[in-house]
Amino acid sequence: MNAWLEVPRGWLDSFGEIARFGSQVTGQVFSGRVLRFFGESVRQAGILIFGSALIIWAFVFILGLQCGIQGAYLFRAQGVPSYAGLFSAWCDLREALPYAFGYILSAKVGTGIVAEIGAMRISDEIDALEVMGVPPITFLCASRLLATWLVLPFVYLAGIGIMYFASYLAVVEQVADVSSGGYSLIFWMFQNPPDLIFSLIKGMAMATVIVLVGCYYGYTASGGPVGVGTATAKSMVFNIVMVHILGMLGTVIFWGANPRAPIGG
Amino acid sequence: MVILTIKTLLSAVRPPYPYGEELVDQFSFVLKLCWFPLLISTFALCVGAPGLQAAGILSLFGGLDRLGGFFVVTAIRWIGPVVTAVVVSGVAGTAITADLGARKIREELDALQVLGVDPIKNLVVPRFLALMIITALLDIFAIVFGLTAGIVAELVYHQSLGGFFATLFANASVTDIWGSVLMCTIFGAIIAIVCSYKGMTASGGAAGVGRAVNQAVVISLVAVFAFNYVFTAVLLATNPELQTIR
């Protein structure tokens, strides 16, 4: 029976430590101490743009196509194919995009950070940093968090555009039940700027948690090359669950009491 | 990767079959790791996305009993398989890559070959089969918890559950279920092959294993979602009876 409860028990063990570590890193960013290493932040931001942005957008594009066809077939069945825009507007902006962003970030960026920092920990480079008088948490973790905050909002916004385009392709060009104008009318009617802001907040909360969890598991990796691999795997498990929980909380907080739809009173 | 797929398939069906014990081991290992993350993930996702969002708009129309029909579309056809695939690739896939990668780095795979033990038959095939079976079974598990989330959303809006179940069972068809399960079987195969391949070709010490895990999970996620799109489009286009609302 113990083996079955190992995963939840491991989370309970590490949750407090991750929270402490995360608040420490966030504190370093807010107190401005990370600005000493602003160059490192810019370098990390560049790595994010060149390494992860394209894959995020590709993933978002595929999910946009999915939202499109599911919505198109759903509303064709209801007899109102012109309302496919409703499904794709909500699916794209409110739910699918934050989740897609969270999945691919935890897969690409989160595990990447664990692999990188974990390898530094294993080869004693972090101790070397400390000996040289460079605070390792600020240099390695806080600078990555700052880079995330600098770059990812823009990647996210561009991703929204790509996803809209993909849904348009799927609904109007692939399934082709509705004209382009009819689709756009409903599509834009069912969203407004606050929705965009809420969606962005959801996505950025996920990104912050993913980077912090990645930094924690990398920073505390131990046990040789195998240890880095296991730490990477563990961080992925934790991140996936956190992405889903944050997604649910975001939905409940932002749209739970008020669906924000232009229907009725 | 294609070569590895063909080799795996061939050595899975060709006798002898020495991998029975390892298969059971892997099966229980994946199940122990996956059940809890999957439970939380499907529940959270289905309460949020199809549950509260759809219940919000349906309550504006005064037709909350229609949520059951909507859950067939989302929970069974889409979210169940996708979340299962994401959790399996994130939990079991990364574990497989880390495990095989560590063996590769410590040259255990070469040692196996020297001993005359085929690493594909003894390591990859059991993982491949176990992941295929277990992803399909976990899909059912995910659907059950997805529907539980639908019930919770319905209760949040103070509705009776009769309408939910009525539209749910009226709209769910056998094709939906087998489509979902078949999709998950293929997801499991994709994840197993990608993760085993990346693990077996890991190189470069401590950073190498981490990087292999990183690449494996990214590639398997993108492959799974791309395949999901193709499969859904084909399923919906070739089975028009799925599109009627009852």
Side-chain angles (χ1 to χ4, degrees), chain A residues 22 47 88 97 117 203 239:
Chain A
I47 292 175
S88 49
L97 185 63
I117 298 184
N239 272 334

Side-chain angles (χ1 to χ4, degrees), chain A:
Chain A
M1 201 58 215
N2 279 338
W4 292 86
L5 294 173
E6 207 172 310
V7 174
R9 194 175 292 157
W11 290 344
L12 282 185
D13 280 351
S14 50
F15 186 78
E17 283 177 39
I18 292 177
R20 200 168 60 96
F21 183 84
S23 56
Q24 203 178 341
V25 174
T26 325
Q28 300 273 353
V29 175
F30 279 121
S31 67
R33 231 168 281 154
V34 67
L35 293 177
R36 258 181 71 199
F37 305 111
F38 192 68
E40 172 70 9
S41 285
V42 173
R43 195 177 75 86
Q44 292 295 339
I47 292 175
L48 274 180
I49 294 174
F50 286 107
S52 306
L54 260 185
I55 192 100
I56 293 174
W57 291 335
F59 196 71
V60 155
F61 184 81
I62 298 174
L63 219 67
L65 289 174
Q66 285 240 327
C67 274
I69 53 170
Q70 294 280 8
Y73 283 114
L74 177 70
F75 282 93
R76 177 198 271 179
Q78 311 268 17
V80 279
S82 56
Y83 271 75
L86 192 168
F87 187 85
S88 49
W90 283 25
C91 172
D92 281 1
L93 184 62
R94 296 185 177 186
E95 300 297 337
L97 185 63
Y99 284 122
F101 194 69
Y103 291 158
I104 211 73
L105 269 188
S106 49
K108 182 82 178 70
V109 178
T111 56
I113 288 175
V114 183
E116 223 176 332
I117 298 184
M120 290 183 193
R121 167 61 79 190
I122 298 297
S123 47
D124 293 333
E125 287 171 31
I126 292 183
D127 297 332
L129 274 182
E130 228 158 341
V131 169
M132 289 192 298
V134 179
I137 291 192
T138 320
F139 182 69
L140 294 173
C141 306
S143 65
R144 278 180 172 76
L145 188 61
L146 182 63
T148 314
W149 286 348
L150 285 178
V151 169
L152 287 185
F154 301 102
V155 174
Y156 191 85
L157 292 175
I160 293 179
I162 289 168
M163 199 161 195
Y164 284 3
F165 175 66
S167 297
Y168 175 85
L169 273 187
V171 175
V172 178
E173 304 292 337
Q174 186 189 348
V175 181
D177 275 347
V178 54
S179 72
S180 159
Y183 173 76
S184 301
L185 174 71
I186 301 298
F187 184 72
W188 295 111
M189 194 188 279
F190 277 87
Q191 56 184 306
N192 46 18
D195 284 343
L196 182 72
I197 305 284
F198 293 157
S199 168
L200 185 63
I201 292 174
K202 228 170 141 178
M204 290 320 294
M206 288 176 187
T208 309
V209 168
I210 287 164
V211 170
L212 289 178
V213 169
C215 286
Y216 170 79
Y217 277 105
Y219 198 78
T220 56
S222 63
V226 186
V228 180
T230 5
T232 316
K234 267 190 203 162
S235 81
M236 186 69 199
V237 183
F238 197 85
N239 272 334
I240 283 182
V241 173
M242 285 312 288
V243 161
H244 286 119
I245 291 180
L246 284 175
M248 182 188 78
L249 284 181
T251 301
V252 172
I253 293 170
F254 295 136
W255 294 289
N258 175 10
R260 303 178 58 80
I263 302 172

Side-chain angles (χ1 to χ4, degrees), chain A residues 3-5 7-8 11 55 59 62-63 65-67 69-70 73-74 76-78 86-87 90-91 94-96 99 103-104 107-109 111-113 115 119 122 170 174 190 202 224-226 228-230 232-234 236-237 240-241 244-245 248 251-252 255-257 259 261 263 265, chain B residues 28 31-37 40-45 47-49 52-54 56-57 59-61 70 73-74 77-78 82-83 86-87 89-91 94-95 98 102 105-106 157 205-207 209-211 213-214 217-218 221-222 225-226 228-230 232-233 236-237 243-245:
Chain A
W4 292 86
L5 294 173
V7 174
W11 290 344
I55 192 100
F59 196 71
I62 298 174
L63 219 67
L65 289 174
Q66 285 240 327
C67 274
I69 53 170
Q70 294 280 8
Y73 283 114
L74 177 70
R76 177 198 271 179
Q78 311 268 17
L86 192 168
F87 187 85
W90 283 25
C91 172
R94 296 185 177 186
E95 300 297 337
Y99 284 122
Y103 291 158
I104 211 73
K108 182 82 178 70
V109 178
T111 56
I113 288 175
I122 298 297
Q174 186 189 348
F190 277 87
K202 228 170 141 178
V226 186
V228 180
T230 5
T232 316
K234 267 190 203 162
M236 186 69 199
V237 183
I240 283 182
V241 173
H244 286 119
I245 291 180
M248 182 188 78
T251 301
V252 172
W255 294 289
I263 302 172
Chain B
S28 69
L31 194 61
K32 274 172 199 161
L33 275 182
C34 280
W35 72 272
F36 191 68
I40 295 200
S41 300
T42 32
F43 187 77
L45 187 55
V47 163
L52 292 176
Q53 296 280 17
I57 194 159
S59 74
L60 290 179
F61 295 133
F70 186 71
V73 175
T74 50
R77 216 176 282 167
W78 189 14
V82 163
V83 174
V86 168
V87 170
S89 68
V91 179
T94 50
I105 295 289
R106 292 186 297 212
Y157 278 83
V209 183
R211 216 178 308 125
V213 175
N214 180 353
V217 72
V218 172
L221 276 188
V222 172
F225 273 77
N228 182 14
Y229 166 64
V230 175
T232 314
L236 290 181
Q243 298 165 19
T244 47
I245 288 275

